[in-house]
Amino acid sequence: MSTVYFDLSISLDGYIAGPNVTLSNPLGDDGERLHDWMFVGRSAEQARTFEEDVFAPCGAMLMGRTMLDVGIEPWGEEPTFHMPVFILTHRPHEPVVKLGGTTYYFVTTGLADALEQARAAAGDKDIVIAGGANLVRQCLAAGMVEEFRLHLVPVVLGGGVRLFDGVAPFTAEPAASCVLDSHGVTHLHYRMRDRARPA
């Protein structure tokens, strides 16, 4: 059965990007340190395979427009997603088709409709909320998130984009044991117990 979840790297002080996020600085100042664990010790081909394996259980993705704007160029002509990606936005745009099965669809009719389209596309496969933080917060507030995975990176950024700012209280329970990898990153997997209440 399909599960809706988000999967993000996060600093010890709760940031998923550093300060000063721009098109030329997509993870903000020092924000790339949050993702180093995925690439250190891997060739470019191995890193790509790792990303593709992460996305393999998913049949659709939800993404915010800002994340697409900062990511579409670095992700290239054949992103590792290999699935339809539904972009929540106020700015209409024709679908953008990439190689390997990734198509970006721009949804201007709201979050509920974006999720409905993602469910139809995903079938029995999972739906991953890629981010950014604003979209994750909206999904939490709407009670759409069923699980989440956090990769706790042993760095303190001291500022930037904090994931849970403004989120209504909720309770989660471990869905699997914590795993500490060779880079010192702790991989956490939670299942929602009490959904976030709308503000």
Side-chain angles (χ1 to χ4, degrees):
M1 183 170 172
S2 178
T3 298
V4 180
Y5 71 94
F6 64 86
D7 185 327
L8 298 169
S9 292
I10 190 167
S11 69
L12 291 175
D13 50 347
Y15 295 99
I16 62 168
N20 303 314
V21 172
T22 64
L23 291 178
S24 59
N25 191 30
L27 292 173
D29 298 344
D30 288 332
E32 70 282 349
R33 297 169 66 196
L34 296 176
H35 294 180
D36 283 348
W37 65 272
M38 293 187 287
F39 305 105
V40 172
R42 293 185 172 106
S43 68
E45 183 178 337
Q46 289 170 329
R48 181 175 179 85
T49 299
F50 172 80
E51 289 186 62
E52 289 172 334
D53 288 346
V54 167
F55 293 127
C58 303
M61 179 181 287
L62 292 176
M63 185 182 293
R65 181 63 185 261
T66 300
M67 183 169 177
L68 178 72
D69 288 346
V70 300
I72 192 167
E73 185 175 332
W75 297 329
E77 289 305 308
E78 189 172 355
T80 55
F81 308 137
H82 305 306
M83 70 184 101
V85 181
F86 297 91
I87 311 299
L88 188 67
T89 181
H90 296 295
R91 293 177 280 153
H93 197 289
E94 289 300 309
V96 176
V97 180
K98 296 291 186 177
L99 299 174
T102 298
T103 299
Y104 302 113
Y105 296 97
F106 297 80
V107 182
T108 59
T109 48
L111 179 58
D113 189 44
L115 180 61
E116 185 177 333
Q117 291 184 48
R119 284 195 191 281
D124 290 335
K125 299 187 83 175
D126 292 341
I127 298 166
V128 59
I129 305 162
N134 183 46
L135 178 60
V136 170
R137 292 179 200 130
Q138 289 182 59
C139 292
L140 284 167
M144 295 176 173
V145 177
E146 296 170 298
E147 293 184 8
F148 60 95
R149 297 115 196 234
L150 295 176
H151 310 283
L152 185 63
V153 182
V155 299
V156 171
L157 293 180
V161 180
R162 197 186 294 271
L163 179 59
F164 292 116
D165 272 1
V167 171
F170 68 88
T171 303
E173 58 189 12
S177 298
C178 300
V179 177
L180 180 66
D181 71 15
S182 60
H183 306 294
V185 177
T186 306
H187 304 282
L188 306 166
H189 184 177
Y190 292 99
R191 184 176 295 111
M192 298 297 289
R193 192 170 75 194
D194 298 329
R195 301 287 177 90
R197 298 182 296 275

